[in-house]
Each structure stands twice: as C-alpha cells, then as structure tokens.
Amino acid sequence: MSEPRWFKSSHSANNGSCVEVAFAGDGVLARDSKDPAAGRLSFPFAAWARLLRSTR
C-alpha cells in the first residue's frame, strides 16, 4: 500500500503547526503535523463530515 497524500489547511499557523489530513480508501486519516510518526486517527467519511459540521 502506498503512503497517503497528506495536506494541511490553508489556514494553518505560520509555523505550520496543525493537523494534516489524507483521504484513504473509505475514510479520512488525521495526524499531528509536528510529529507525523506519532500515529494517525482514522475516520469514516460520515464521521469526518459530522466532526467538521460540529466545529463550524
């Protein structure tokens, strides 16, 4: 399996400290941009959409 393509929000802080996300299979992966090797969280698309709606 190839490494997912990670990206940051265009609204990230100047130092780049933020959450990175990647689309993978049937969901979304999230990780800490400052420590990408620390692990990642996996969300089904529906759960990711609910998370985004709740933070607006």
Side-chain angles (χ1 to χ4, degrees):
M1 183 190 310
S2 64
E3 179 67 19
R5 184 172 178 199
W6 294 94
F7 61 95
K8 297 178 192 176
S9 167
S10 60
H11 299 286
S12 65
N14 290 334
N15 64 5
S17 299
C18 65
V19 172
E20 293 178 311
V21 297
F23 297 107
D26 59 351
V28 176
L29 301 173
R31 69 181 183 184
D32 182 347
S33 66
K34 297 181 304 293
D35 192 6
R40 43 179 98 164
L41 299 173
S42 178
F43 299 89
F45 284 122
W48 184 254
R50 284 191 305 271
L51 175 67
L52 294 180
R53 280 193 305 271
S54 71
T55 60
R56 289 185 182 166

